[in-house]
């Protein structure tokens, strides 16, 4: 049985199907409630229930929603379903650069699965209908036959049309990534859901851009950089990208070529564990160290977009702040697996 959901302070009213979560209903209506993990782990989507009754089915982590918060009628939008007509109050973020794009399901066919590195595969999906998104956003990939979903950033710009690209690093013990690496093949029918997230370039600020990425965190920056260059962005763009060895440094040749084609694009690759005897002539060290070396006078006046594992993000934020770049100009995405749930960390896309 469907119920009505009213979202304050917007005053918006929408219909929620039986078993549908508050978050899913809102996103599919084009209303962005801040969210990250989608599985009751991070508390980003916490909302206040003003009227009516909800059921969270016990999915919310006790670390994300405390007992006293439940008593105060707080709930997590990603877990809560409606038992009656409900009114909630949510922190609705205003962002001049955000497009209001309703989340939808997009079926498609796997067109290619390629090895980008020994641990990262490029998964290309030809959708039945093109997905509109903002470069930097992510989708939920429905693992065929598993009844589970996994979040992956879109690595392609919008200009690729109906074919989207996901860069998937295999995670030890990860059911979803193991299936993609070992079983997914060309011709398979799959479904993605999206777009999700608020990770995109704030173009209206008109500032030079620094992208700092590590591992498969290259996905979002690649999408954003290609989109910016294709649309004539004229301010400086720098990509600082780190991997351990040259064998893991994927899309290296593509970014090298972009530096020759676009005078405002700079590429700084960094390897942290490349054998000393190799012929690597680039930076040796970590992403935050390479960034500091590339900006000896500091980072003030820029905007920074950070994508990668939490330890890299934390080191980069420290380096940026030491170089006089602060919260309003730093945006980042982190990935967290279910095994990290106890850390109560925002799992995907969240500005500090």
């Amino acid at each position: 049985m469907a119920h009505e959901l009213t979202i304050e302070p917007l005053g918006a009213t929408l219909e929620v199907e039986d078993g549908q979560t508050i978050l899913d209903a809102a996103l599919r209506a084009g209303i962005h409630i801040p969210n990250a993990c989608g599985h009751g782990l991070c508390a980003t989507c916490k909302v206040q229930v003003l009227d009516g009754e909800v059921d969270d089915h016990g999915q919310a982590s006790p670390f994300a929603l405390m007992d006293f918060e439940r008593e105060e009628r707080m709930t997590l939008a990603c877990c809560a379903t409606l038992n009656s007509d409900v009114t909630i109050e949510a922190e609705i973020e205003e962002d001049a650069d955000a497009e209001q794009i309703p989340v939808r399901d997009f079926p498609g066919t796997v067109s290619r699965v390629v090895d980008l590195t020994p641990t990262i595969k490029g998964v290309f999906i030809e959708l039945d209908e093109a997905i509109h998104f903002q470069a930097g956003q992510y989708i939920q990939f429905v693992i065929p036959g598993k009844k589970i979903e996994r979040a992956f950033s879109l690595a392609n710009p919008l200009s690729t049309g109906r074919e989207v690209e996901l860069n998937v690093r295999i995670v030890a013990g990860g059911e979803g990534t193991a299936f993609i690496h070992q079983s997914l093949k060309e011709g398979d029918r799959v479904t993605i859901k999206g777009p999700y997230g608020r990770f995109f370039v704030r173009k209206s600020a008109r500032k030079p851009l620094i992208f700092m990425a590590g591992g498969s965190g290259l996905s979002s920056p690649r999408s954003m950089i290609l989109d910016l260059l294709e649309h004539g962005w004229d301010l400086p763009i720098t990509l600082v990208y780190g991997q351990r060895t040259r064998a893991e440094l994927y899309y290296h040749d593509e970014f090298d070529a972009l530096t020759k084609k676009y005078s405002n694009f700079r590429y700084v690759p960094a390897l942290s564990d490349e054998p000393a005897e190799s012929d690597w002539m680039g930076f040796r060290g970590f992403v935050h160290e390479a960034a500091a070396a590339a900006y000896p006078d500091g980072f003030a006046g820029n905007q920074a977009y950070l994508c990668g594992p939490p330890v890299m993000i934390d080191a980069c934020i420290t380096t940026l702040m030491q170089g006089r770049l602060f919260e309003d100009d730093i945006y980042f995405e982190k990935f967290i697996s279910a095994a990290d749930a106890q850390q109560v960390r925002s799992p995907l896309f969240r500005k500090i």
Side-chain angles (χ1 to χ4, degrees):
M1 176 181 176
H3 295 290
E4 281 194 350
L5 173 68
T6 301
I7 303 176
E8 299 294 356
L10 297 179
T13 300
L14 51 137
E15 188 173 279
V16 181
E17 297 297 326
D18 186 36
Q20 185 180 25
T21 66
I22 289 174
L23 180 61
D24 186 66
L27 294 178
R28 288 179 183 274
I31 298 172
H32 180 79
I33 293 176
N35 67 94
C37 71
H39 303 290
L41 304 178
C42 70
T44 306
C45 67
K46 193 176 297 180
V47 297
Q48 176 73 57
V49 179
L50 300 178
D51 187 53
E53 299 298 327
V54 302
D55 185 353
D56 68 12
H57 297 295
Q59 295 179 31
S61 163
F63 296 96
L65 190 66
M66 304 293 185
D67 288 341
F68 77 88
E69 292 177 306
R70 293 173 189 262
E71 293 172 3
E72 293 174 354
R73 293 174 58 78
M74 303 294 290
T75 193
L76 300 185
C78 69
C79 297
T81 56
L82 306 191
N83 289 337
S84 68
D85 291 347
V86 169
T87 300
I88 63 168
E89 185 174 40
E91 293 184 10
I92 305 297
E93 298 175 343
E94 295 291 337
D95 192 322
D97 292 286
E99 294 184 40
Q100 300 302 320
I101 309 173
V103 167
R104 294 175 50 201
D105 295 352
F106 291 88
T109 302
V110 176
S111 52
R112 289 177 287 158
V113 180
V114 301
D115 291 328
L116 296 176
T117 79
T119 59
I120 299 173
K121 286 189 181 293
V123 177
F124 296 81
I125 304 168
E126 186 77 16
L127 301 176
D128 296 352
E129 176 189 352
I131 180 174
H132 179 65
F133 64 98
Q134 287 187 266
Q137 289 188 296
Y138 71 100
I139 56 87
Q140 292 282 355
F141 181 85
V142 181
I143 306 298
K146 299 278 185 182
K147 294 185 179 179
I148 58 174
E149 301 176 7
R150 293 294 181 264
F152 299 108
S153 299
L154 291 162
N156 57 288
L158 276 75
S159 59
T160 59
R162 291 192 294 120
E163 187 177 66
V164 298
E165 177 184 351
L166 314 176
N167 298 162
V168 182
R169 179 180 65 86
I170 192 163
V171 177
E175 183 179 7
T177 60
F179 176 89
I180 291 171
H181 273 249
Q182 298 166 11
S183 301
L184 193 69
K185 61 185 184 300
E186 181 179 336
D188 285 352
R189 291 289 291 173
V190 296
T191 297
I192 66 171
K193 300 179 180 181
Y196 294 94
R198 304 285 269 189
F199 192 68
F200 47 80
V201 176
R202 273 61 181 179
K203 298 177 184 178
S204 63
R206 292 292 298 165
K207 293 183 179 182
L209 304 172
I210 307 168
F211 294 91
M212 303 165 74
S216 59
L218 183 63
S219 303
S220 292
R222 179 173 183 263
S223 177
M224 292 189 280
I225 289 167
L226 293 177
D227 185 69
L228 287 164
L229 294 175
E230 288 176 3
H231 287 87
W233 181 264
D234 57 345
L235 296 177
I237 302 172
T238 297
L239 169 63
V240 185
Y241 175 48
Q243 279 280 20
R244 292 177 301 173
T245 66
R246 177 64 183 86
E248 297 172 314
L249 198 67
Y250 71 103
Y251 285 128
H252 175 71
D253 292 340
E254 175 184 73
F255 289 119
D256 260 347
L258 288 176
T259 64
K260 298 176 177 63
K261 184 176 181 180
Y262 298 96
S263 60
N264 62 324
F265 178 65
R266 177 170 58 156
Y267 172 48
V268 183
L271 300 180
S272 62
D273 198 26
E274 178 70 1
E277 65 275 12
S278 78
D279 61 357
W280 175 250
M281 300 299 291
F283 189 90
R284 290 176 180 265
F286 295 103
V287 172
H288 64 286
E289 297 169 332
Y295 288 84
D297 297 324
F299 304 99
N302 292 273
Q303 266 193 350
Y305 294 83
L306 285 49
C307 321
V311 65
M312 187 213 87
I313 299 296
D314 294 341
C316 288
I317 290 172
T318 298
T319 298
L320 289 168
M321 289 186 167
Q322 289 173 342
R324 308 298 295 172
L325 192 70
F326 301 112
E327 178 178 342
D328 287 348
D329 286 314
I330 301 174
Y331 298 84
F332 67 85
E333 64 179 9
K334 288 183 181 181
F335 175 79
I336 186 172
S337 69
D340 297 319
Q342 299 301 319
Q343 298 183 26
V344 196
R345 177 185 285 132
S346 176
L348 276 174
F349 307 92
R350 183 176 175 87
K351 181 181 182 294
I352 61 171

